[in-house]
Amino acid sequence: MARYIFITGGVVSSLGKGLASAALGALLQARGFSVRLRKLDPYLNVDPGTMSPFEHGEVFVTDDGAETDLDLGHYERFTGVAARKTDSVSSGRIYSNVLEKERRGDYLGKTIQVIPHVTNEIKDFIEIGSDEVDFMLCEIGGTVGDIEGLPFFEAIRQFSQDKPRGQCIFMHLTLLPYIKASGELKTKPTQHSVKELRSIGIAPDILVCRSEGPIPVKEREKLALFCNVRPDSVIAAQDLGTIYDAPLAYHREGLDQAVLDAFQISPAPKPDLRKWEDVSDRIHNAEGEVNVAIVGKYTQLEDAYKSIAEALTHGGMANRVKVRVEWVDAELFDREDPAPHLSGFNAILVPGGFGERGTEGKIKAAEFARTRKVPYLGICLGMQMAVIEAARHTANLTDAGSEEFDHEAGKKRFTPVVYHLKEWVQGNHKVERKVEDDKGGTMRLGAYDAVLTQGSKVAEVYGNTLIDERHRHRYEVDIKYREKLEEVGMCFSGMSPDGRLPEIVEWTDHPWFIGVQFHPELKSKPFDPHPLFKDFVRAAKEVSRLV
Ligand code: GLN
């Protein structure tokens, strides 16, 4: 039976609860425990699949096809435990389950209420898989005091009462603002936040306080006294230069020890932190730098491409170089020649995306990379654009395009080299979709196998000819054009096992030009960089040596 750690936040949002949870998960693993992390989000969307990346950042896709919050990406990157559908839930999902049960008559005519029906649904979710791990870490999204968060706080309060004593603890993250004029760290907002938490029946066992600098003893004692926690359970979370220092930093601050003490686990198993020491060493002792341009649409909000940025960092760590990323708005190339903007880079990455805006710019970026022999990694839409570029400029299909853009414009303008996929095979099942299906859940989502061509670049990169990677898309490169494109040198080097869906393309006469229909970035880890990112950065490093 798992022990539960509930992680809540107060004072302000964006304190790095996800990161603190992920780092704690990694530290518990370092002490030999198995962990699982999950996120409970109070918003009313059923899942983040339909939320704008501008607003909510990237959608993290799991192997089993769930579209989840980007915090699950942190969890997976830090613990290496593959996130699952049952690791993420929102109020929207909880309410829709409750209402579905009500319609089915499962509640036998009872009046349906937040307590107990909604809270029970939340508790059932928390309980899923509890016999599989030593620790279940549950992060509650939002900030204590938010109206929509209340059912979740009530549910975790009840949950801790339902369990035997000592099986659940609460960890609360807050902010200690620094007032320059008086040179003081202020504890009052934290006191109020804990008061708010206690008013709904939750007494935190551990306080994690974000602050610019160290917490002086006086403030630490004050926090302990006024918030009713032990002084050694007040953990400072100082701003860090890199997120990958978080496990070691939290360990130095005594977070994992405080957690084990709170559970009265004694003697505590000694931690083995060598993995994180190596990660930290690779980040801090890079021996050079490569410059990568990411030509995308959601460039104002870095979180929109969170996993890509992290995977590039991992690729850099594997090659002992720092990867400097510059975000280039693809729409710029609608007006301007890409050459002066892209010339200074050692590699170009075109990420995934939806909708027509910016796609002509991405096509130009792919053309620039192909003709100038600059390493290119096209991910999902970035692969589709590379294929359209090849079709238009090398295979004489001058009006090649994607059905996605024709659908958007409501008229037919392109030869659909990329078409709307309505039927495909997943394992032993056939999946079917209609154009009019609702926006959520009409995509090819989650892990699918791909078979790689022996002797191809990707087979060499992966060191394997059978892979599985995560997908999230509606459109697909049409196999009809394979022959035409292979004639001009674009090799379809990865295919779905039934041979119908192109998964990977590469230019054979190019030092490094690969387009993939899936999202390799989602599986990269600092201690286990994804082979494509590792080799992409290696290729960029080679280019940087030449210039
Ligand atoms: N919009 C494209 C599709 O749906 C690509 C999606 C993506 O890049 N994730 O196929």
Side-chain angles (χ1 to χ4, degrees), residues 417-435:
V417 170
V418 177
Y419 70 104
H420 190 191
L421 182 73
K422 300 189 195 73
E423 227 184 80
W424 65 91
V425 178
Q426 179 167 36
N428 298 321
H429 314 278
K430 192 161 114 186
V431 187
E432 283 179 85
R433 299 275 187 256
K434 289 195 229 51
V435 180

Side-chain angles (χ1 to χ4, degrees), residues 254-274:
L255 176 62
D256 43 335
Q257 188 60 55
V259 166
L260 297 178
D261 288 348
F263 282 114
Q264 300 188 343
I265 296 176
S266 161
K270 289 252 168 308
D272 178 358
L273 296 165
R274 279 173 298 179

Side-chain angles (χ1 to χ4, degrees), residues 352-354 380-381 384 404 472-475 519:
F354 292 84
C380 208
L381 189 67
Q384 297 173 357
E404 178 172 10
R472 180 174 184 252
H473 56 109
R474 290 189 183 85
Y475 297 85
H519 290 276

Side-chain angles (χ1 to χ4, degrees), residues 31 79 156 261 266 399 406 442 444 477 490 498 537 545:
R31 291 191 185 252
T79 63
I156 59 174
D261 288 348
S266 161
D399 61 350
D406 276 348
T442 59
R444 188 150 89 97
V477 172
M490 177 171 255
D498 64 2
V537 175
R545 283 223 190 90

